[in-house]
Amino acid sequence: MNRLAGLATRASGAAILAVLSLGGASAHASEAALMPLPVSATVNAAEGQALAITGRFAVRFEGFSDARLQRAVSRFQTDINALTGAAPTSDGPALVIAVSADPAAGTLEAKEAYSLKVTEGGVHLTAAGQDGVLRGLATLRQLVQPQGAGFVLPYAQIEDSPRFPWRGLMVDTARHFVELDTLKRQIDAMERVKLNVLHFHFSDNEGFRIESLRYPRLTEISSHGQYYTQAQVRELVAYAADRGIRVVPELDVPAHTGAIMIAYPELKAAPFDETSRLAMFRAAVDPTKPETFAFIKGLLEEMIPLFPDAYFHVGGDEVAPTAWTANPDIVAYMAANGYEDTAALQDHFFRQVNEIVRSLGKTTMGWEEVAHLPIDDDVVVQAWRSSHIVGHITGQNNRAVVSAGYYLDLLWDGLDHYSRDPLDTAATLLDKPEEQVGPGPEVPLNDHQKALVLGAEAPLWSEAVTDEMVDHRFWPRAALLAERFWSPESVRDPVDAMRRAVPVQEALRIQGLEDLTRRQRMAARLAPHDAEAVEILSEVTVPVRNMGRLAEVFAAVRSGRPVRLPSFTAPVDIAGADSLEIYRLSVWADAVAKGDAAAAGPLRTALQKYRDNHPRFVAAAQGVDSLEQAVPISEEVARLAVVGLEAIDLKTRGARPTAAWTENARALLAKQAQAAEASSSSAKILMGVPQPPALLLVGLTPVIDRLVSSVSPRP
């Protein structure tokens, strides 16, 4: 079907139809903001063509119901009350849910398709399984919109099903502990945008986070007092399952095992400095000792029953060759057994671990390194460094989950992630092409290989993410990725995605997400007398990319100084990789550039706010080092806002800019492009390329660039 953007007509008395088909939606505020976009949807946004929400829905099940579905309906009713502010009276519209029992519910094979129809007679939701009901209710929440004195559901007909069955987020609780309530908030938001896998990374060099009764030193020594009891893990898993989300745990071996080796030093392949993060990163357990595999089996026997999902992740990434070659006994073992290099030894290790996992009734999952040599076909492999490895994984008949291009901790904006498709082997590439394994990015997947791609997963590693930052490091970018993983491949319009993401994110906040409130708290900590000045700057600034937040840590490593992590309380930590305000400004700027005069007013008001905030920020920053470092960035924001205001004036008057104005505008934009280039790759960060003040970039830059280009196109 062709893209039908901007379809709404303004003819007097005519029905205003918003057709959300394979390509996207109209840009009118009255239309439903659905994310992910359904496969097919017709939404009638005309006044009088909507179902009034007058109270709690009168729910009736047809065919099948169980306690899980009843709880899903209860959550839905609570969310509708929050979204409408209406009193929970009992005279609401009818909601009929026709569903068949799906024996595969809650698994990778769950039936998630649904049909949704809203008419004057009520709502009819049809699904082939329990998970389909949850996905339909998620869409129904997003249909709610204000009209007149209350709230309504526009008449709609929707047919929908996911593109991929595996649509996940990964949370790293090892490096910085994440509170149980914070994890639950992410699960709540995941349900509302149809994400269905939470990859739970609970062990690494920095900590082991699940209570072990069999190996108590893991939490006595290596959790730093922050861990989940086994009862809490069961609670989390049940909480997620209720919301149609599978929890896939990860015990990372043989590297990333510093916490394990500190607790049980007899497992070390070689001694290492336990006070050095770098030394710990280069260490691994000994793959030649029977005791190592006995420990892993014992630990898995304890951990696996906590997680009912069919898949268990065993890591396998980033094994430094020296972790093993520094031990003469391991080198001799390799020679005696014909292992030519450490890659072959790692393959031996993985095969042993895979057999343990299989013997305990689970299917093994591992990072891409486990598949550099052929492995059992049933192993699921997670591609993380570059997209082309998916060709290698699927070429040897393994199923793949794609994370390359979706690393949220690298702090690329949501549109960058949104532009990358899980089936595109050239979507993201290594900094070091010589490390390439398998076919290159120019080799597309064939149909058989595409069928082996289960889906994708966006990791959030927590080297530079604390508990209070989790919400705004995941969202709103996770909503954009939910669409990339669910909707048809042809759904690609970035401006339309930003337009819809704004009300979707606001709704998530109403329903409990704390991205905004936690950023406000962080701003108040730094500037209690004028936190708003810090908040305003954070709306239009973003952190440097590619772990640039840890530039000082890498500098310490290069110089041999002790490595200490920063406190993560500075403006760079308050700023989101994506800002909802930037989404708004981008949509308005695109409309102004296309000649929509109505968008000029709100855009002008916003830019005036950012222009005028600079003196406030300077005053608020006095005596606070981290804020004072950001003063030059605040000044750049003000200058760019002035250019944007001037561009709006030129556009609305139909005037041409002078050569001097264009030169000045382009110079300001070029300065920001140069600042962004400094963190455009991890190699530049590691080499110590100087970063901008306060490690902040001006996120307003693309908005101003769009406006400048509309009045002064590049040659």
Side-chain angles (χ1 to χ4, degrees):
M1 301 179 70
N2 294 324
R3 174 167 170 75
L4 299 176
L7 183 65
T9 67
R10 301 185 184 275
S12 177
I16 303 177
L17 294 180
V19 179
L20 312 180
S21 60
L22 296 180
S26 167
H28 295 277
S30 63
E31 296 175 10
L34 303 181
M35 181 169 279
L37 274 183
V39 171
S40 172
T42 301
V43 180
N44 193 332
E47 188 173 352
Q49 299 295 303
L51 179 68
I53 303 174
T54 54
R56 291 178 65 84
F57 284 79
V59 179
R60 185 177 84 251
F61 281 93
E62 292 181 350
F64 175 78
S65 179
D66 62 6
R68 178 174 175 240
L69 288 177
Q70 296 290 346
R71 290 191 296 269
V73 167
S74 179
R75 289 195 305 277
F76 168 76
Q77 301 273 33
T78 299
D79 284 348
I80 294 299
N81 289 341
L83 291 167
T84 63
T89 57
S90 59
D91 59 348
L95 170 56
V96 178
I97 302 175
V99 57
S100 301
D102 176 16
T107 73
L108 181 65
E109 293 77 29
K111 296 175 181 177
E112 297 183 278
Y114 67 93
S115 299
L116 189 63
K117 188 174 184 179
V118 182
T119 67
E120 62 180 340
V123 180
H124 200 96
L125 170 59
T126 303
Q130 299 90 304
D131 292 270
V133 173
L134 271 61
R135 309 313 172 216
L137 291 176
T139 297
L140 196 55
R141 287 176 175 92
Q142 294 181 350
L143 282 172
V144 174
Q145 54 186 259
Q147 188 177 99
F151 290 81
V152 301
L153 293 170
Y155 294 165
Q157 177 69 55
I158 294 171
E159 301 290 334
D160 201 12
S161 59
R163 182 180 174 210
F164 295 108
W166 192 300
R167 308 177 305 279
L169 301 179
M170 191 219 79
V171 60
D172 170 16
T173 65
R175 292 174 175 86
H176 279 102
F177 185 69
V178 180
E179 298 291 342
L180 191 64
D181 285 347
T182 300
L183 292 173
K184 288 181 176 180
R185 280 198 310 278
Q186 312 319 306
I187 290 169
D188 288 338
M190 290 171 70
E191 178 189 17
R192 291 163 184 143
V193 296
K194 306 182 181 71
L195 291 166
N196 69 346
V197 177
L198 180 67
H199 177 166
F200 188 55
H201 185 87
F202 66 84
S203 72
D204 215 295
N205 291 327
E206 292 79 3
F208 191 95
R209 302 300 185 184
I210 295 181
E211 174 188 36
S212 174
L213 303 178
R214 184 172 295 187
Y215 300 105
R217 290 169 62 87
L218 290 172
T219 44
E220 290 172 357
I221 295 175
S222 295
S223 74
H224 317 291
Q226 294 181 308
Y227 62 93
Y228 311 98
T229 66
Q230 294 192 7
Q232 287 177 316
V233 172
R234 292 189 182 94
E235 177 186 348
L236 180 71
V237 170
Y239 190 91
D242 237 23
R243 288 151 180 79
I245 295 163
R246 300 163 39 227
V247 178
V248 176
E250 180 186 353
L251 173 69
D252 203 349
V253 290
H256 292 279
T257 46
I260 290 174
M261 293 185 291
I262 288 172
Y264 293 92
E266 64 271 19
L267 302 176
K268 295 178 185 178
F272 62 89
D273 182 356
E274 296 180 4
T275 66
S276 168
R277 289 177 177 268
L278 183 60
M280 214 181 303
F281 180 76
R282 293 171 176 167
V285 296
D286 192 330
T288 69
K289 290 181 177 179
E291 296 92 331
T292 298
F293 298 102
F295 174 88
I296 291 172
K297 183 177 182 180
L299 188 56
L300 287 176
E301 286 174 342
E302 186 177 19
M303 294 294 112
I304 278 178
L306 300 175
F307 300 95
D309 196 75
Y311 298 87
F312 200 101
H313 203 301
V314 296
D317 59 317
E318 297 186 306
V319 183
T322 54
W324 291 334
T325 58
N327 183 330
D329 292 338
I330 294 177
V331 173
Y333 179 91
M334 291 170 61
N337 288 276
Y339 299 132
E340 295 182 358
D341 52 26
T342 55
L345 181 59
Q346 182 176 356
D347 180 64
H348 160 74
F349 176 88
F350 174 73
R351 290 179 182 279
Q352 297 278 91
V353 173
N354 182 36
E355 284 303 313
I356 293 171
V357 173
R358 291 174 65 176
S359 72
L360 296 173
K362 298 293 185 180
T363 297
T364 304
M365 188 172 182
W367 297 105
E368 65 185 55
E369 289 93 327
V370 305
H372 284 186
L373 295 174
I375 54 176
D376 290 343
D377 286 354
D378 65 344
V379 175
V380 175
V381 183
Q382 191 162 2
W384 69 274
R385 290 189 295 182
S386 63
S387 300
H388 70 75
I389 193 69
V390 179
H392 172 72
I393 295 166
T394 56
Q396 60 184 31
N397 215 39
N398 288 104
R399 292 171 295 167
V401 171
V402 182
S403 286
Y406 305 130
Y407 266 47
L408 297 178
D409 53 291
L410 296 183
L411 300 178
W412 287 97
D413 63 71
L415 293 185
D416 180 86
H417 298 305
Y418 186 79
S419 69
R420 303 174 188 273
D421 192 82
L423 298 184
D424 181 3
T425 56
T428 183
L429 305 175
L430 290 167
D431 280 346
K432 298 179 180 179
E434 66 272 13
E435 295 182 2
Q436 177 175 305
V437 174
E442 71 282 354
V443 181
L445 303 179
N446 60 38
D447 288 344
H448 173 70
Q449 290 177 296
K450 289 178 180 179
L452 290 172
V453 177
L454 297 177
E457 202 176 89
L460 182 66
W461 299 100
S462 67
E463 287 94 343
V465 180
T466 63
D467 177 80
E468 71 177 348
M469 297 164 63
V470 168
D471 291 54
H472 69 264
R473 285 294 181 255
F474 268 130
W475 308 92
R477 293 182 296 165
L480 292 176
L481 285 176
E483 178 158 291
R484 175 58 50 241
F485 304 160
W486 174 285
S487 299
E489 184 180 0
S490 55
V491 176
R492 308 287 285 187
D493 187 332
V495 175
D496 186 61
M498 286 190 290
R499 177 192 69 80
R500 289 179 287 111
V502 171
V504 167
Q505 180 72 2
E506 294 288 21
L508 291 176
R509 290 170 174 173
I510 292 169
Q511 295 166 100
L513 195 65
E514 295 185 6
D515 66 303
L516 181 59
T517 57
R518 292 200 165 206
R519 290 172 63 196
Q520 290 172 335
R521 184 176 73 186
M522 295 173 75
R525 182 188 295 139
L526 293 177
H529 299 293
D530 192 1
E532 187 180 37
V534 179
E535 293 169 31
I536 290 172
L537 181 65
S538 73
E539 289 175 353
V540 287
T541 54
V542 298
V544 291
R545 318 295 190 189
N546 289 306
M547 302 301 291
R549 178 64 178 97
L550 300 179
E552 292 183 5
V553 171
F554 297 132
V557 170
R558 289 193 302 273
S559 66
R561 291 183 282 113
V563 174
R564 290 189 177 88
L565 290 177
S567 62
F568 303 114
T569 58
V572 64
D573 307 307
I574 301 171
D578 255 3
S579 156
L580 210 59
E581 187 66 12
I582 291 297
Y583 285 5
R584 292 188 184 96
L585 299 178
S586 297
V587 172
W588 289 332
D590 187 70
V592 168
K594 293 176 179 177
D596 184 351
L603 182 55
R604 184 181 288 111
T605 299
L607 291 178
Q608 288 169 346
K609 178 179 74 170
Y610 299 120
R611 176 197 64 192
D612 298 341
N613 187 59
H614 180 54
R616 283 184 66 182
F617 183 82
V618 171
Q622 295 300 310
V624 182
D625 288 349
S626 64
L627 294 180
E628 288 183 341
Q629 292 171 21
V631 167
I633 300 299
S634 176
E635 184 177 7
E636 291 299 307
V637 167
R639 288 176 176 172
L640 284 166
V642 168
V643 169
L645 289 166
E646 292 169 346
I648 293 172
D649 182 59
L650 289 166
K651 186 70 177 179
T652 54
R653 291 190 293 109
R656 294 176 62 86
T658 65
W661 182 90
T662 298
E663 182 179 0
N664 175 65
R666 291 293 177 204
L668 287 173
L669 292 169
K671 181 178 180 181
Q672 297 311 313
Q674 183 178 11
E677 182 63 26
S679 62
S680 61
S681 73
S682 57
K684 291 180 179 180
I685 301 298
L686 294 171
M687 290 188 300
V689 173
Q691 298 299 306
L695 300 175
L696 284 170
L697 302 172
V698 180
L700 187 63
T701 302
V703 175
I704 305 306
D705 193 12
R706 183 74 175 97
L707 293 171
V708 170
S709 296
S710 74
V711 296
S712 181
R714 288 185 176 88

